[in-house]
Amino acid sequence: MRMSNDSESVQAANRYCDDICIASRALDEVTDEVMSNNSNVDIVNDMGEDGFEGFDSQKDQQSNGGCTPRMKKIGLGTFPRTISDLLKLPRALASPIRQGATKLSPVTRNGTTLLVDGKGWKAVGPNVYWLGLDENVTPPDGEPFYAPTRASYPTKERITEVMATVQALGGTMIRGHTLGISVGNPLSVWPEPGVVNEKAFEPIDWAVYQAGVYGIRLLVPLVDNYDYYHGGKYNFLRWGGFDLNQRRDENNPLVQQFYTNATIVATFKDYIKTIITHRNQYTNQTFAEDPTIFAYETGNELLGPVWGDMNSPADWVQDIAKYVKSLAPQKLVVDGTYGINKTHLSIEEVDIFSDHMYPVDTAKLQNDIELVEAAGKPFFAGEYDWVGGDAANLQSMFRIIEESSVAIGDTFWSQFGHNAPDCTTYVDHSDGLALQYGNPKNTANQNSRIQLIRKHFIAMSQGREIAPDEALPAVPCPAPTSPSIR
């Protein structure tokens, strides 16, 4: 319905137009910045068939008080003339830019090999567990913060810098816990069972969007074995009526109820559906549709009540893997058990088996690879200590993975960067394993290890050799949100 010509409607229209002029001027500035940073940016019309007409006449510009919004540049067409047009504008302004040139192809599996567009693909990069929810930074006053667990949302600048750093390292992917594990506190995706906190998706959406822009793929665990700030299996146990916490009850046989209790399993599946079917505000794709996320992992370091028992039951692993594939048929599934459980190797729905290396243990690595190879599946080293122990041992691990036809990659624990937009300080973590790329306070040992990691990543992802002491490329802070070169 078009606006009427009565004076009240005209006054209302004028007020709307004034607001649009202001918004369009701000949008002009954003558009200029983006297009100057990336000449290949593909800006499309997101308005559908009833988009706006051309905005060409000098008369129209004068009648709008000299406001000349460049609607065509952002895919809007012209100055809005109807209430319908006006109602469409906020959605268009919220997400005017689409990176058509950065669309990724799905990762597929053929036996022990991962493929992209029919060519072999390797999965190398960091663990960045905090991309969706952090515990290491106290945000400015007024920003969301849950003091009991120090939970806060990471800034867009921190997230984007991660992508630029992975690219500089020659990495192809990130393993990101809180992109999929976010339950049990007020800032979580699921603060309570079935209650969705849409605000929690804001950093997650941005991380997935920026990963796609940088050509970085994501592996996303769905639950944690531990009672951490971002939640895990103990939250589902408590929601299911079992008063358990890790500190007191990690050896309590009742923890197995997470895998065996039908109500708890159903609640966990509901949570998985919330994550996988969520539609990203920046890409307009569900996570099931977006090939940036190449795999979901049944969990992080899943165990039973005894350390090292690898007791996540095979029927549970198969059930969860099958459910993930029912929601997202193109996704690969990683068995999130801590270690290679031989009873899982025949599960058809599991694509990749994984283990973690604390400390780096080449004998264990070779044994894992042999077990998985016999099952005709790929092996992935999901975590390892990059800075402890002997550098020669780390090099040996890298060499084994590079020479194996079964090992498809690895992710070190774990990556941090600047407290951006503050580019003068770095974020640290208490475990002593934070890799802070470019930190001038890094020791010689830390920098030489980072160089070894980059050498390994480039050998895996590009098939070429570089010197172990090749200088590390600089990563700007803040990093560009739309790099011109990938």
Side-chain angles (χ1 to χ4, degrees), residues 264-280:
I264 292 175
V265 171
T267 303
F268 181 47
K269 285 182 175 179
D270 287 344
Y271 171 73
I272 292 173
K273 186 175 182 180
T274 297
I275 293 292
I276 292 179
T277 62
H278 169 74
R279 188 171 296 278
N280 190 324

Side-chain angles (χ1 to χ4, degrees), residues 428-439:
D428 204 358
H429 185 53
S430 59
D431 63 3
L433 299 176
L435 188 154
Q436 298 169 322
Y437 188 92
N439 190 342

Side-chain angles (χ1 to χ4, degrees), residues 112 114 121-124 353 365 369 372-373 377-381 397-398 400-410 460:
T112 62
L114 299 188
W121 181 80
K122 299 295 186 180
V124 287
F353 290 94
L365 174 63
I369 290 173
V372 176
E373 183 175 21
K377 299 287 181 75
F379 172 81
F380 177 71
M397 185 188 85
F398 289 160
I400 290 168
I401 292 173
E402 289 165 18
E403 294 175 355
S404 171
S405 61
V406 176
I408 49 92
D410 52 86
M460 291 286 284

Side-chain angles (χ1 to χ4, degrees), residues 77 84-85 104 137 162 188 196 199 208 210 225 317 358 365 379 388 418 452:
S84 175
D85 289 347
L104 300 178
V137 173
V162 163
S188 298
V196 179
K199 187 171 181 60
V208 175
Q210 286 289 276
N225 188 65
V317 174
Y358 296 110
L365 174 63
F379 172 81
H418 289 98
L452 284 178

Side-chain angles (χ1 to χ4, degrees), residues 143-200:
E143 294 295 315
F145 182 59
Y146 183 57
T149 60
R150 292 187 48 77
S152 66
Y153 298 128
T155 62
K156 287 183 174 180
E157 292 87 352
R158 287 182 64 199
I159 293 168
T160 299
E161 185 187 46
V162 163
M163 308 306 164
T165 302
V166 174
Q167 191 179 75
L169 284 169
T172 61
M173 52 79 66
I174 292 168
R175 183 170 178 259
H177 298 58
T178 55
L179 300 180
I181 309 170
S182 183
V183 296
N185 79 62
L187 303 190
S188 298
V189 169
W190 257 31
E192 301 172 21
V195 176
V196 179
N197 172 19
E198 292 293 342
K199 187 171 181 60

Side-chain angles (χ1 to χ4, degrees), residues 14 81 201 236 291 329 376 429 473:
N14 287 337
R81 301 177 187 278
F201 276 115
F236 290 95
H429 185 53

Side-chain angles (χ1 to χ4, degrees), residues 90-127:
R91 175 171 64 87
L93 290 178
S95 186
I97 298 166
R98 294 291 183 270
Q99 292 280 342
T102 63
K103 182 175 175 57
L104 300 178
S105 298
V107 177
T108 60
R109 179 177 67 86
N110 182 13
T112 62
T113 304
L114 299 188
L115 302 170
V116 172
D117 295 329
K119 299 178 182 178
W121 181 80
K122 299 295 186 180
V124 287
N127 281 271

Side-chain angles (χ1 to χ4, degrees), residues 13-261:
N14 287 337
R15 287 194 297 270
Y16 277 124
C17 291
D18 288 343
D19 290 342
I20 293 166
C21 282
I22 294 169
S24 70
R25 289 188 183 113
L27 186 57
D28 282 351
E29 296 177 6
V30 174
T31 305
D32 284 342
E33 180 179 355
V34 171
M35 296 187 76
S36 65
N37 285 338
N38 186 357
S39 60
N40 296 320
V41 66
D42 181 21
I43 301 180
V44 303
N45 188 336
D46 194 32
M47 301 303 293
E49 293 181 358
D50 57 346
F52 306 138
E53 302 279 329
F55 182 86
D56 296 325
S57 75
Q58 182 69 23
K59 180 179 178 181
D60 280 346
Q61 295 180 31
Q62 292 172 351
S63 67
N64 289 324
C67 178
T68 313
R70 286 171 290 166
M71 298 298 183
K72 282 185 176 178
K73 181 184 286 189
I74 60 168
L76 300 185
T78 186
F79 201 85
R81 301 177 187 278
T82 68
I83 290 174
S84 175
D85 289 347
L86 290 168
L87 291 175
K88 291 173 185 175
L89 185 60
R91 175 171 64 87
L93 290 178
S95 186
I97 298 166
R98 294 291 183 270
Q99 292 280 342
T102 63
K103 182 175 175 57
L104 300 178
S105 298
V107 177
T108 60
R109 179 177 67 86
N110 182 13
T112 62
T113 304
L114 299 188
L115 302 170
V116 172
D117 295 329
K119 299 178 182 178
W121 181 80
K122 299 295 186 180
V124 287
N127 281 271
V128 190
Y129 75 86
W130 50 266
L131 285 173
L133 191 65
D134 192 27
E135 61 172 338
N136 301 284
V137 173
T138 301
D141 290 345
E143 294 295 315
F145 182 59
Y146 183 57
T149 60
R150 292 187 48 77
S152 66
Y153 298 128
T155 62
K156 287 183 174 180
E157 292 87 352
R158 287 182 64 199
I159 293 168
T160 299
E161 185 187 46
V162 163
M163 308 306 164
T165 302
V166 174
Q167 191 179 75
L169 284 169
T172 61
M173 52 79 66
I174 292 168
R175 183 170 178 259
H177 298 58
T178 55
L179 300 180
I181 309 170
S182 183
V183 296
N185 79 62
L187 303 190
S188 298
V189 169
W190 257 31
E192 301 172 21
V195 176
V196 179
N197 172 19
E198 292 293 342
K199 187 171 181 60
F201 276 115
E202 291 183 9
I204 297 172
D205 286 352
W206 182 253
V208 175
Y209 166 60
Q210 286 289 276
V213 168
Y214 273 86
I216 304 298
R217 291 175 172 82
L218 301 169
L219 188 163
V220 178
L222 291 167
V223 71
D224 214 311
N225 188 65
Y226 311 112
D227 218 355
Y228 288 154
Y229 77 101
H230 54 256
K233 71 180 184 183
Y234 288 93
N235 295 91
F236 290 95
L237 284 163
R238 290 190 285 268
W239 289 337
F242 296 90
D243 183 20
L244 303 175
N245 65 69
Q246 183 187 351
R247 185 177 300 234
R248 183 187 64 214
D249 300 303
E250 68 176 343
N251 300 125
N252 189 329
L254 286 175
V255 299
Q256 290 301 93
Q257 291 290 319
F258 173 72
Y259 307 110
T260 61
N261 184 287

